[in-house]
Amino acid sequence: MSERESMPYDVVIVGAGPAGLSAAIRLKQLAADAGSEIAVCVLEKGSEVGAHILSGAVIDPRALDELLPEWRTMGCPLAETPVTENHHWVLSKTGKRALPEAALPPFMHNDGCYTGSLGNLCRWLAEQAEGLGVEIFPGFAAAEVLFNEDGSVKGVATGDMGIARDGTRKPDWQPGLELHARYTFFAEGVRGHLSKELMRLFDLRADCDPQVYGLGVKELWDIDPANHQPGRVIHTQGWPLSETPGSNGGGFIYHQANGQVALGYVTWLNYRNPFLSPFQEMQRWKTHPDIAELLKGGKRVSYGARAINDGGYQSVPKLVFPGGALIGCSAGFLNVPRIKGTHTAMKTGMMAAEAAFEAVGADRGGDELSAYPTAYQGSWVRDELYRVRNVVPLVKKYGDLFGSGLSGVNMWLEHWGLKLPYTMHHKPDHESLWGRNEVQRIDYPKPDGVLTFDRLSSVFISNTNHEEDQPVHLTLKDPDVPIAHNLPLYDEPAQRYCPAGVYEVVGEDDPKGTGDPKFVINAQNCVHCKTCDIKDPTQNINWVVPEGGGGPNYPNM
């Protein structure tokens, strides 16, 4: 008999991000309108709501307007900084060329958008949800999917607390908790480990392209007030990734409230050169004269990193399965050209909530919420993603310069209603690496500690913490692969693609020539970006949740 206690709900939601919280709020709104009750619970693996939330962020308020129309007068922190300027720079190493806003179709403009902390928005949404009666449990990581005898999803179980690294129970051991539901929503964000398992079990990716990703590395700076222009938004492309064949990405600079600038760099994870380091590319990007001048006299106050979904329309999986649904970035609804996914994530949570409320009202449970994918197919989310479906593939196929030009023409044609009769396809990111002997090694400059930094000092200001005596949550399917396969073939790229210094190869450079290289996993450094789970060339690394409450604690990110 299980030692775990169980709690019953109508709907359990895994993840207190924008999708999960929007779903919870919508469920309670519908119940209030109908004069009925619905029991809703939200699990959050971070120590508090918002602790693991990281985005640029410039947010389109379309879904928020639908969910809480009066949000601007309700104390929502997002209302503080509307976008006032929109710029797009094409960078060379020492200069830039500004792309006129008129060159972009209207749907690419940021009119009516806001810039601010997505973590703070989620904290505010959590307050609204709790005010409606939603139960939110931060610090509880959903570690296991539970199933009914008929194979439908029954709910989830949280991980045990107080398990030692060797698997034994420590004196403070507490068993996990089972949460049973008629329907369970998975809103884990990008590459959620339970969502990945559900996709495999229910073959949810059978009729879609593989998901592809970028890695966003972000810093928050207090800058000289003379350089700060609240609401100014800048996006960049070109240098420094333009120096490395087979790589793409771009930067963002958002002037937000309180004299702060959020800036970051996104590297698409289909890059070919195993010596490329997305973290180091972000540090190099800051040395561009125009960016360095902006940051002069400023101070870096926070750091984080997170993978983002880049697949778009053709990579959206089947959204439902018996007893549950994928919402938000667990499924992947980011509009890559707009660099926006909060509004689409929120809307998908709302659509799933509407389908579940109708089903619960009809005394259903454990079946497929077919009304949700039907609603998605008729929604503005689907229309928005379909319109830009060929942008990422065009850039990947034809390169940053020519591909961007073609994608611009494509977006104008779509804007004018001239829809192209084809959809280009994606290939998995982990298949893209070339061998170490087929590429040129990249030598990155040492950090100066003023403008550029190393990974360990960066992880320190992400407030990342894990209980050290717990099972390593970065698991290897075959422990021999890193040294026997990845090291000779790719110089073990995990040493470089991880933005937190989790992976090391030690002992290789023994001056006596007797080096016995070993693969070391510093799991306590992990910022939960999921890049290793995505980019490892043999898919040997499987990211699973650590003990609840572990990981980064992002302030104002």
Side-chain angles (χ1 to χ4, degrees), residues 109-190:
H109 300 176
N110 283 314
D111 297 340
C113 293
Y114 294 78
T115 183
S117 163
L118 183 59
N120 289 343
L121 174 61
C122 288
R123 292 178 177 97
W124 181 82
L125 286 171
E127 292 175 5
Q128 311 314 306
E130 289 180 319
L132 293 169
V134 176
E135 296 180 34
I136 301 178
F137 300 133
F140 287 85
E144 177 188 352
V145 181
L146 304 175
F147 298 92
N148 293 302
E149 290 184 3
D150 63 1
S152 62
V153 170
K154 182 180 183 179
V156 294
T158 64
D160 290 358
M161 306 289 279
I163 299 292
R165 180 165 293 207
D166 63 5
T168 60
R169 296 176 179 179
K170 294 187 286 187
D172 60 349
W173 172 80
Q174 293 181 8
L177 179 69
E178 293 191 0
L179 296 110
H180 301 166
R182 292 173 181 257
Y183 300 101
T184 306
F185 292 173
F186 293 83
E188 300 175 284
V190 176

Side-chain angles (χ1 to χ4, degrees), residues 56-58 86-91 110 215-219 232-242 248-254 261-268 278 281-286 288 291 294 308 336-340 400:
V58 170
N86 195 41
H87 303 273
H88 190 101
W89 296 347
V90 180
L91 302 183
N110 283 314
L215 172 61
V217 179
K218 177 184 176 181
E219 296 177 351
R232 191 180 197 212
V233 166
I234 302 168
H235 293 112
T236 79
Q237 67 180 95
W239 189 84
L241 282 176
S242 57
N248 295 100
F252 62 86
I253 305 168
Y254 302 152
V261 166
L263 72 159
Y265 200 79
V266 177
T267 300
W268 290 359
E281 294 295 329
M282 193 273 185
Q283 300 305 311
R284 276 213 301 168
W285 172 76
K286 286 187 294 178
H288 188 277
I291 301 171
L294 171 71
I308 59 176
V336 176
R338 295 189 71 200
I339 322 178
K340 291 177 180 61
D400 197 48

